[in-house]
Amino acid sequence: MDNRIVNCAEECVNGCVLGETCPHREHLAAASKFMQEKSMDEILAIAEERARKKISPPPGPFVSELPQWTD
């Protein structure tokens, strides 16, 4: 078993360098299944929705809109 630490983002750009010993194999299977089940249009719609949620302000009042408590 290969026990070295691998930075997947840098070392696995052309495919997994650890092969069957990769601790992220389950994620690869889930990603492959997702890609097979979804069309590119569906994937883009999901990405757009996630990006929209990320840049949208959180629901609820802003701090400036909260009642001011005075003693």
Side-chain angles (χ1 to χ4, degrees), residues 31-42:
S32 294
K33 181 181 177 195
F34 179 82
M35 295 296 288
Q36 290 175 359
E37 293 176 351
K38 303 287 183 192
S39 70
M40 187 54 73
D41 290 335
E42 289 175 303

Side-chain angles (χ1 to χ4, degrees), residues 1 3 7-9 11 13-14 19 23 33 35 38 45 47 49 51 53-54 57 64 71:
M1 183 169 161
N3 288 330
N7 180 345
C8 295
E11 295 182 48
V13 293
N14 294 317
K33 181 181 177 195
M35 295 296 288
K38 303 287 183 192
E49 180 63 25
K53 285 181 180 180
K54 203 170 202 176
S64 61
D71 290 328

Side-chain angles (χ1 to χ4, degrees), residues 6-71:
V6 173
N7 180 345
C8 295
E10 292 178 4
E11 295 182 48
C12 300
V13 293
N14 294 317
C16 183
V17 297
L18 295 178
E20 294 297 319
T21 62
C22 179
H24 303 118
R25 297 290 294 172
E26 65 188 55
H27 302 295
L28 175 62
S32 294
K33 181 181 177 195
F34 179 82
M35 295 296 288
Q36 290 175 359
E37 293 176 351
K38 303 287 183 192
S39 70
M40 187 54 73
D41 290 335
E42 289 175 303
I43 293 171
L44 290 173
I46 292 168
E48 287 174 358
E49 180 63 25
R50 297 272 170 97
R52 189 177 341 339
K53 285 181 180 180
K54 203 170 202 176
I55 61 172
S56 298
F62 290 101
V63 173
S64 61
E65 296 171 354
L66 295 173
Q68 299 295 317
W69 300 101
T70 58
D71 290 328

